[in-house]
Amino acid sequence: MRTFLVICLGLAVSAPAFGGNSAPLADPQLIQWSHAPFETGECEICHESSDPQNPGPIVGTVNQLCFGCHDMFAESIADMANIHSPVEESCTNCHNPHNSSRVKLLNEDIPELCGGCHDDVLAIARNSPVQHQPVLAGQACLKCHDPHASNVKPMLVGLPYDLCVRCHGKDDMKDSEGKPMANLQYLVTHSHMLHGPVADKDCSACHLVHGGENFRMLLKPYPSRFYSPYDAENYELCFSCHEIDAIESQRTTTLTGFRDGSRNLHYVHVDKERRGRTCRACHEVHAAPQDHMIRDGVPYGPRNWILKINYTKTENGGSCAKTCHPTKTYDRTREN
Ligand code: HEC
Ligand code: HEC
Ligand code: HEC
Ligand code: HEC
Ligand code: HEC
Ligand code: HEC
Ligand code: HEC
Ligand code: HEC
Ligand code: HEC
């Protein structure tokens, strides 16, 4: 019997942590954390027998046992709108009831614990061409998700926008290549105009969060540079909400306000075989200091010099001054 038990326990350590792998750790070397009621050696607190060699089955269901002592914990999740289904099923999906090589009696490290069931998310986080550092580093998944229960779907520890600006509300954020990133919180609270989905605090309208295929983890492609040869496929992101013809029609009197008479100036600037200006040349995509999401200036060249756009809105059009070209004015009422 003794030999049998040891073999069992030996297996338990290396087997995947899910589905009834709840035996005490066999190797004392591995034990970093021991649960108080197990430490006492009184197996009958939870099992039918007090014999440590053969404690028999547990008394009641796992969760009934745990809640018997962790009543405050039980109360704290009872009122939550969403309870994580493995928690309802059994605490032993993630915790060893006896001891563990990890804090909080966890069966696995984070993020592997989560990845054991959410392998799709873990694969995205690890293998995507564009990765998001917080998803795998440190507390990883727990920075944004509660493992037990939450009032915000999907199991979030805060409202999505608030979560993003916890980090993206700082001035010194850098991307994976070391380039400075905008302080979104500052932009949103100090801008004259917010982009529709940003005003709705819906970052997910454009960004994935665990990792993605496209520049900046965008849902759809958008060029990464200031100049880009025009190809509608590169602008799928913008065209998923905005009219493609407002950019592609050479002439129009209805599709865009950025026209001189019927000459479509969006077409003139963007739709070029070689050095087409990408939308960022004139628009700040999250929030901007001027009407029509026009930015004050654009970072340019290797040293990120700021080029002032000097945009002025007029009743029937507007003008841009002395930066990319001498002052030019557009007027929608012009006959041409
Ligand atoms: C805090 C409650 C608690 C205490 C105390 C406790 N256990 Fe357990 N034990 C459990 C739970 C819960 C399970 C998982 C049962 C299940 O999944 O059905 C379990 C499972 C086991 C298993 C694995 C059984 C199997 O079939 O997988 C062994 C072996 C075990 N306990 C040994 C002990 C021994 C030995 C003691 C006393 C030294 C002890 N336990 C004390 C809660 C406890
Ligand atoms: C007999 C009372 C009792 C039962 C039953 C019990 N616990 Fe505990 N648990 C405690 C005590 C006391 C502590 C605090 C001391 C410690 O960390 O061991 C604790 C600590 C914990 C911790 C670590 C908390 C921390 O902050 O590090 C976890 C996780 C936990 N229990 C999970 C469970 C689970 C899962 C079950 C059911 C299988 C369970 N407990 C059943 C008494 C109990
Ligand atoms: C999906 C995995 C998962 C399940 C299932 C789960 N837990 Fe946890 N639990 C965790 C993680 C991860 C932590 C560590 C949280 C942290 O460090 O912030 C934790 C921490 C705890 C703690 C320590 C206090 C705290 O909130 O940090 C207690 C107590 C606890 N769990 C009890 C339970 C009980 C009781 C159940 C069953 C009703 C349960 N857990 C089910 C993953 C889980
Ligand atoms: C034992 C398996 C298991 C483990 C471990 C597990 N989960 Fe889950 N999780 C589930 C199941 C099952 C659902 C419900 C799936 C559904 O409703 O589509 C779920 C749902 C979720 C959801 C909500 C999904 C949605 O679309 O609403 C999130 C977020 C989540 N888990 C995150 C985590 C995190 C973070 C961890 C690690 C702390 C974790 N899970 C560990 C099984 C698990
Ligand atoms: C930076 C915050 C953040 C981190 C870190 C994070 N998530 Fe999420 N997660 C979110 C947000 C926000 C959503 C909702 C996305 C949406 O609605 O488009 C989400 C959605 C989910 C979902 C449900 C939808 C889906 O994509 O399947 C699961 C499951 C999930 N996360 C698991 C995880 C796991 C596992 C980890 C760790 C490997 C993790 N998350 C790390 C913020 C985060
Ligand atoms: C815990 C801090 C943290 C949270 C929360 C967080 N981020 Fe990030 N994010 C970072 C860091 C650090 C980087 C830079 C390193 C990198 O590129 O991953 C980054 C990078 C990014 C990037 C640029 C990725 C690239 O390399 O091109 C985008 C886009 C982004 N985050 C969006 C979001 C969104 C949307 C949310 C909310 C759902 C969010 N982040 C929540 C820390 C965070
Ligand atoms: C309408 C689509 C859209 C929405 C909504 C959106 N973003 Fe973006 N985001 C973009 C685009 C496009 C870029 C690339 C901008 C560029 O390089 O000119 C970007 C870039 C970023 C970057 C990199 C910043 C930098 O300075 O390079 C971060 C971080 C980011 N977004 C976070 C967020 C957060 C947080 C939210 C929610 C408040 C959000 N985004 C909402 C489209 C969007
Ligand atoms: C998820 C949908 C969505 C996506 C994706 C999107 N937008 Fe928007 N955009 C809106 C909404 C909603 C408004 C505000 C309603 C309106 O005025 O049309 C808006 C307004 C604008 C405006 C200001 C219009 C004005 O004159 O006031 C500009 C400029 C703009 N978007 C540019 C872009 C660019 C550039 C992209 C691609 C990087 C983009 N949008 C992607 C939804 C979107
Ligand atoms: C050379 C500067 C410039 C570039 C590049 C540019 N825009 Fe604009 N855009 C403007 C100006 C100026 C307006 C305001 C027109 C007005 O007076 O109503 C505008 C207006 C808009 C509007 C509001 C509706 C409309 O057409 O009047 C949208 C949406 C828009 N732009 C999207 C885009 C998208 C998407 C791109 C990239 C594919 C882009 N813009 C590139 C200058 C530019």
Side-chain angles (χ1 to χ4, degrees):
M1 179 60 211
R2 194 186 174 93
T3 332
F4 173 73
L5 189 67
V6 168
I7 291 169
C8 256
L9 299 181
L11 271 179
V13 178
S14 56
F18 316 105
N21 172 31
S22 302
L25 294 182
D27 182 355
Q29 298 279 79
L30 288 176
I31 301 170
Q32 303 291 332
W33 203 267
S34 198
H35 198 191
F38 174 72
E39 275 288 283
T40 64
E42 296 164 68
C43 313
E44 74 274 21
I45 294 175
C46 301
H47 289 269
E48 281 181 358
S49 159
S50 59
D51 177 6
Q53 301 309 324
N54 190 12
I58 53 167
V59 202
T61 68
V62 172
N63 286 19
Q64 280 166 354
L65 270 180
C66 310
F67 290 153
C69 291
H70 294 283
D71 52 337
M72 282 174 74
F73 174 88
E75 277 167 32
S76 77
I77 64 170
D79 292 339
M80 298 273 190
N82 313 289
I83 298 181
H84 197 191
S85 67
V87 173
E88 285 183 308
E89 190 192 60
S90 171
C91 311
T92 55
N93 274 319
C94 301
H95 296 285
N96 188 308
H98 311 100
N99 53 21
S100 170
S101 59
R102 302 168 180 89
V103 292
K104 315 272 182 192
L105 298 166
L106 291 177
N107 288 333
E108 262 291 353
D109 292 330
I110 309 281
E112 286 79 8
L113 176 72
C114 313
C117 296
H118 301 286
D119 51 342
D120 51 341
V121 176
L122 194 58
I124 286 168
R126 288 196 167 139
N127 306 330
S128 294
V130 182
Q131 302 191 352
H132 198 195
Q133 187 253 2
V135 178
L136 295 174
Q139 283 281 85
C141 322
L142 301 181
K143 289 196 201 91
C144 301
H145 296 288
D146 192 291
H148 303 116
S150 153
N151 284 324
V152 186
K153 279 190 173 176
M155 303 292 306
L156 294 172
V157 296
L159 293 170
Y161 170 85
D162 296 344
L163 279 180
C164 304
V165 300
R166 248 181 226 180
C167 296
H168 295 286
K170 295 179 193 149
D171 280 334
D172 51 358
M173 293 278 291
K174 298 210 164 66
D175 72 6
S176 51
E177 288 168 5
K179 295 202 185 108
M181 289 196 295
N183 177 335
L184 270 293
Q185 170 91 314
Y186 185 87
L187 268 181
V188 166
T189 48
H190 288 76
S191 294
H192 165 66
M193 190 181 171
L194 302 183
H195 199 184
V198 173
D200 292 341
K201 300 196 163 183
D202 186 6
C203 311
S204 293
C206 298
H207 293 283
L208 293 165
V209 61
H210 303 123
E213 303 280 319
N214 300 315
F215 172 63
R216 295 296 186 216
M217 298 191 300
L218 292 165
L219 265 67
K220 305 215 168 93
Y222 179 71
S224 62
R225 295 168 175 274
F226 188 87
Y227 291 114
S228 175
Y230 181 74
D231 177 350
E233 284 180 11
N234 287 341
Y235 291 99
E236 254 184 63
L237 178 76
C238 310
F239 297 154
S240 63
C241 294
H242 295 289
E243 198 55 65
I244 186 171
D245 293 343
I247 306 291
E248 289 193 344
S249 309
Q250 293 193 39
R251 293 208 169 254
T252 174
T253 52
T254 52
L255 292 166
T256 179
F258 191 31
R259 60 191 158 81
D260 193 42
S262 65
R263 192 165 170 246
N264 182 350
L265 298 175
H266 268 135
Y267 172 84
V268 168
H269 287 90
V270 181
D271 200 337
K272 288 190 174 307
E273 250 173 59
R274 285 185 60 247
R275 286 160 65 90
R277 282 87 181 164
T278 53
C279 320
R280 68 169 62 73
C282 306
H283 298 293
E284 181 91 71
V285 74
H286 299 104
Q290 307 190 55
D291 289 320
H292 307 301
M293 307 269 308
I294 302 290
R295 52 203 306 174
D296 277 344
V298 283
Y300 184 76
R303 295 202 191 166
N304 275 359
W305 287 323
I306 297 292
L307 273 181
K308 282 269 180 203
I309 296 181
N310 300 319
Y311 175 73
T312 311
K313 188 180 146 129
T314 60
E315 198 190 336
N316 296 313
S319 67
C320 287
K322 288 190 227 134
T323 303
C324 306
H325 44 60
T327 302
K328 290 201 181 186
T329 303
Y330 65 95
D331 181 347
R332 287 181 288 268
T333 60
R334 211 189 308 266
E335 299 278 340
N336 59 5

